[in-house]
Coordinates of all heavy atoms in Angstrom, one line a residue:
P146 N 0.0 -28.1 -8.0 CA 0.2 -29.4 -8.6 C -1.0 -29.8 -9.5 O -2.1 -29.5 -9.2 CB 0.3 -30.3 -7.4 CG 0.3 -29.5 -6.2 CD -0.1 -28.1 -6.6
G149 N -1.9 -36.1 -10.7 CA -0.8 -37.0 -11.2 C 0.6 -36.5 -10.8 O 1.6 -37.3 -10.9
D150 N 0.7 -35.3 -10.3 CA 2.0 -34.7 -9.9 C 2.3 -34.9 -8.4 O 3.3 -34.6 -8.0 CB 2.1 -33.2 -10.3 CG 2.3 -33.0 -11.7 OD1 2.5 -34.0 -12.5 OD2 2.2 -31.8 -12.2
T151 N 1.3 -35.4 -7.7 CA 1.5 -35.5 -6.3 C 2.1 -36.8 -5.9 O 2.0 -37.8 -6.6 CB 0.1 -35.3 -5.5 OG1 -0.7 -36.4 -6.0 CG2 -0.5 -34.0 -5.8
P152 N 2.8 -36.9 -4.7 CA 3.4 -38.1 -4.3 C 2.3 -39.2 -4.2 O 2.6 -40.4 -4.5 CB 4.0 -37.9 -3.0 CG 4.2 -36.4 -3.0 CD 3.1 -35.8 -3.8
E153 N 1.1 -38.9 -3.8 CA 0.0 -39.9 -3.7 C -0.3 -40.5 -5.0 O -0.6 -41.7 -5.1 CB -1.3 -39.2 -3.1 CG -1.1 -38.7 -1.7 CD -0.5 -37.3 -1.7 OE1 -0.5 -36.6 -2.7 OE2 0.0 -37.0 -0.6
A154 N -0.1 -39.8 -6.1 CA -0.4 -40.4 -7.4 C 0.6 -41.5 -7.8 O 0.2 -42.4 -8.5 CB -0.3 -39.3 -8.5
S155 N 1.8 -41.5 -7.2 CA 2.7 -42.6 -7.5 C 2.3 -43.9 -6.9 O 2.8 -44.9 -7.2 CB 4.1 -42.2 -7.1 OG 4.2 -42.0 -5.7
D156 N 1.4 -43.8 -5.9 CA 0.9 -45.0 -5.3 C -0.2 -45.7 -6.1 O -0.6 -46.8 -5.8 CB 0.3 -44.7 -3.9 CG 1.4 -44.2 -2.9 OD1 2.6 -44.6 -3.2 OD2 1.1 -43.5 -2.0
P166 N 5.5 -45.6 -11.3 CA 6.5 -44.7 -10.9 C 6.1 -43.2 -11.3 O 5.6 -43.1 -12.4 CB 7.8 -45.2 -11.5 CG 7.3 -46.0 -12.7 CD 6.0 -46.5 -12.3
S167 N 6.5 -42.3 -10.5 CA 6.2 -40.9 -10.8 C 7.5 -40.2 -11.2 O 8.5 -40.3 -10.5 CB 5.6 -40.2 -9.6 OG 5.4 -38.9 -9.9
G168 N 7.5 -39.4 -12.3 CA 8.7 -38.7 -12.7 C 9.1 -39.0 -14.1 O 8.5 -39.8 -14.8
K169 N 10.1 -38.2 -14.6 CA 10.6 -38.4 -15.9 C 11.8 -39.3 -15.9 O 12.8 -39.0 -15.2 CB 10.9 -37.0 -16.5 CG 11.5 -37.0 -17.9 CD 11.8 -35.6 -18.4 CE 12.5 -35.8 -19.7 NZ 12.1 -34.9 -20.7
E170 N 11.8 -40.2 -16.8 CA 13.0 -41.2 -16.9 C 14.2 -40.4 -17.3 O 14.2 -39.7 -18.4 CB 12.7 -42.3 -17.8 CG 13.8 -43.3 -17.9 CD 13.5 -44.6 -18.7 OE1 12.3 -44.9 -18.9 OE2 14.5 -45.2 -19.2
L171 N 15.3 -40.6 -16.6 CA 16.6 -40.0 -16.9 C 17.5 -41.0 -17.5 O 18.2 -40.8 -18.6 CB 17.3 -39.4 -15.7 CG 16.8 -38.1 -15.2 CD1 17.6 -37.7 -13.9 CD2 17.1 -37.0 -16.2
A172 N 17.6 -42.2 -16.9 CA 18.6 -43.2 -17.3 C 18.3 -44.5 -16.6 O 17.4 -44.6 -15.8 CB 20.0 -42.8 -16.8
F185 N 23.2 -34.6 -17.3 CA 22.0 -34.5 -18.2 C 21.8 -33.0 -18.4 O 21.1 -32.4 -17.6 CB 20.8 -35.2 -17.6 CG 21.0 -36.7 -17.4 CD1 21.5 -37.1 -16.1 CD2 20.8 -37.6 -18.4 CE1 21.7 -38.5 -15.9 CE2 21.0 -38.9 -18.2 CZ 21.5 -39.4 -17.0
Q188 N 18.2 -31.5 -18.8 CA 17.4 -31.5 -17.6 C 18.1 -30.7 -16.5 O 17.6 -30.5 -15.4 CB 17.1 -32.9 -17.1 CG 16.2 -33.7 -18.0 CD 16.9 -34.4 -19.2 OE1 18.1 -34.3 -19.3 NE2 16.2 -35.0 -20.0
E189 N 19.3 -30.3 -16.8 CA 20.1 -29.5 -15.8 C 20.3 -30.3 -14.5 O 20.2 -29.7 -13.4 CB 19.6 -28.1 -15.6 CG 19.6 -27.3 -16.8 CD 19.1 -25.8 -16.6 OE1 18.4 -25.6 -15.6 OE2 19.4 -25.0 -17.4
V190 N 20.6 -31.6 -14.6 CA 20.8 -32.4 -13.4 C 22.0 -33.3 -13.7 O 22.3 -33.7 -14.8 CB 19.5 -33.2 -13.1 CG1 19.2 -34.2 -14.2 CG2 19.6 -33.9 -11.8
V191 N 22.7 -33.6 -12.6 CA 23.8 -34.6 -12.6 C 23.5 -35.7 -11.7 O 23.0 -35.5 -10.5 CB 25.2 -34.0 -12.3 CG1 25.2 -33.3 -11.0 CG2 26.3 -35.0 -12.4
V192 N 23.5 -37.0 -12.1 CA 23.2 -38.1 -11.3 C 24.5 -38.9 -11.0 O 25.3 -39.1 -12.0 CB 22.2 -39.1 -12.0 CG1 22.0 -40.3 -11.1 CG2 20.9 -38.3 -12.2
T193 N 24.8 -39.2 -9.8 CA 26.0 -39.9 -9.4 C 25.7 -41.2 -8.7 O 24.6 -41.4 -8.2 CB 26.9 -39.0 -8.4 OG1 26.2 -38.8 -7.2 CG2 27.2 -37.7 -9.1
F200 N 22.3 -43.8 -5.4 CA 22.2 -42.8 -6.4 C 21.9 -41.5 -5.8 O 21.0 -41.4 -5.0 CB 21.2 -43.2 -7.5 CG 21.6 -44.4 -8.2 CD1 21.2 -45.7 -7.8 CD2 22.4 -44.4 -9.3 CE1 21.6 -46.8 -8.4 CE2 22.8 -45.6 -10.0 CZ 22.4 -46.8 -9.5
E201 N 22.6 -40.4 -6.3 CA 22.3 -39.1 -5.8 C 22.1 -38.2 -7.0 O 22.6 -38.5 -8.1 CB 23.6 -38.5 -5.0 CG 23.9 -39.3 -3.8 CD 22.9 -39.3 -2.7 OE1 22.1 -38.3 -2.6 OE2 23.0 -40.2 -1.8
A202 N 21.4 -37.1 -6.9 CA 21.2 -36.1 -8.0 C 21.4 -34.7 -7.5 O 20.9 -34.4 -6.3 CB 19.8 -36.3 -8.6
F203 N 22.0 -33.9 -8.3 CA 22.2 -32.5 -7.9 C 22.0 -31.6 -9.2 O 22.0 -32.1 -10.3 CB 23.7 -32.3 -7.5 CG 24.1 -33.3 -6.4 CD1 24.8 -34.4 -6.8 CD2 23.7 -33.1 -5.1 CE1 25.2 -35.4 -5.8 CE2 24.1 -34.0 -4.1 CZ 24.8 -35.2 -4.5
S204 N 21.8 -30.3 -8.9 CA 21.7 -29.4 -10.0 C 23.0 -29.5 -10.8 O 24.1 -29.6 -10.2 CB 21.5 -28.0 -9.5 OG 21.6 -27.0 -10.5
A205 N 22.9 -29.4 -12.1 CA 24.1 -29.4 -13.0 C 24.6 -27.9 -13.2 O 25.5 -27.7 -14.0 CB 23.8 -30.1 -14.3
L247 N 26.5 -27.9 -4.9 CA 25.4 -27.9 -5.9 C 24.1 -28.3 -5.2 O 24.1 -29.2 -4.3 CB 25.7 -29.0 -7.0 CG 26.9 -28.8 -7.8 CD1 27.2 -30.0 -8.7 CD2 26.8 -27.5 -8.7
P248 N 23.0 -27.7 -5.5 CA 21.7 -28.0 -4.8 C 21.3 -29.4 -5.1 O 21.4 -29.8 -6.3 CB 20.7 -27.0 -5.3 CG 21.6 -25.9 -5.8 CD 22.8 -26.5 -6.3
P249 N 20.7 -30.1 -4.2 CA 20.2 -31.5 -4.5 C 18.9 -31.4 -5.4 O 18.2 -30.4 -5.4 CB 19.8 -32.0 -3.1 CG 19.6 -30.8 -2.3 CD 20.4 -29.8 -2.8
K250 N 18.7 -32.5 -6.1 CA 17.5 -32.7 -7.0 C 16.9 -34.0 -6.5 O 17.6 -34.9 -6.0 CB 17.9 -32.8 -8.5 CG 18.4 -31.5 -9.1 CD 17.3 -30.6 -9.4 CE 17.8 -29.5 -10.3 NZ 16.7 -28.7 -10.8
R251 N 15.6 -34.1 -6.7 CA 14.9 -35.3 -6.3 C 14.8 -36.4 -7.4 O 14.4 -36.0 -8.5 CB 13.5 -35.0 -5.8 CG 13.4 -34.3 -4.5 CD 12.1 -34.2 -3.9 NE 11.4 -35.5 -3.8 CZ 10.1 -35.7 -4.0 NH1 9.3 -34.7 -4.2 NH2 9.6 -36.9 -3.9
I252 N 15.3 -37.6 -7.1 CA 15.2 -38.7 -8.0 C 14.6 -39.9 -7.3 O 14.6 -39.9 -6.0 CB 16.5 -39.1 -8.7 CG1 17.5 -39.4 -7.6 CG2 17.0 -38.1 -9.6 CD1 18.8 -40.1 -8.1
T253 N 14.1 -40.8 -8.0 CA 13.7 -42.1 -7.4 C 14.2 -43.2 -8.3 O 14.4 -42.9 -9.5 CB 12.1 -42.3 -7.3 OG1 11.5 -42.2 -8.6 CG2 11.5 -41.2 -6.4
V254 N 14.4 -44.3 -7.8 CA 14.9 -45.5 -8.5 C 13.8 -46.5 -8.5 O 13.3 -46.9 -7.4 CB 16.2 -46.1 -8.0 CG1 16.6 -47.3 -8.8 CG2 17.3 -45.0 -8.0
S255 N 13.2 -46.9 -9.6 CA 12.2 -47.8 -9.8 C 12.7 -49.0 -10.6 O 12.8 -48.8 -11.8 CB 10.9 -47.2 -10.4 OG 9.9 -48.1 -10.6
V258 N 15.4 -48.2 -13.3 CA 15.1 -46.9 -14.0 C 15.3 -45.8 -13.0 O 14.8 -45.9 -11.8 CB 13.7 -46.8 -14.6 CG1 13.4 -45.5 -15.2 CG2 13.5 -47.9 -15.6
I259 N 16.0 -44.7 -13.3 CA 16.2 -43.5 -12.5 C 15.3 -42.5 -13.0 O 15.3 -42.2 -14.2 CB 17.7 -43.0 -12.5 CG1 18.6 -44.1 -12.0 CG2 17.8 -41.8 -11.7 CD1 20.1 -43.8 -12.1
L260 N 14.4 -42.0 -12.1 CA 13.4 -41.0 -12.5 C 13.7 -39.7 -11.8 O 14.0 -39.6 -10.6 CB 12.0 -41.5 -12.1 CG 11.5 -42.8 -12.7 CD1 10.4 -43.4 -11.9 CD2 11.2 -42.6 -14.1
L261 N 13.6 -38.6 -12.6 CA 13.7 -37.2 -12.0 C 12.3 -36.9 -11.5 O 11.3 -36.9 -12.3 CB 14.2 -36.2 -13.0 CG 14.3 -34.8 -12.6 CD1 15.3 -34.7 -11.5 CD2 14.7 -33.9 -13.8
V262 N 12.1 -36.6 -10.2 CA 10.8 -36.3 -9.7 C 10.5 -34.8 -9.7 O 11.4 -34.0 -9.5 CB 10.8 -36.7 -8.2 CG1 9.4 -36.4 -7.6 CG2 11.1 -38.2 -8.1

Side-chain angles (χ1 to χ4, degrees):
D150 285 352
T151 61
E153 295 80 21
S155 65
D156 294 334
S167 177
K169 178 179 173 137
E170 183 175 335
L171 281 176
F185 298 92
Q188 294 84 1
E189 297 183 340
V190 65
V191 57
V192 177
T193 65
F200 297 90
E201 303 291 341
F203 309 100
S204 171
L247 297 173
K250 292 281 192 165
R251 286 190 55 212
I252 57 170
T253 60
V254 178
S255 179
V258 177
I259 300 172
L260 303 163
L261 180 62
V262 180

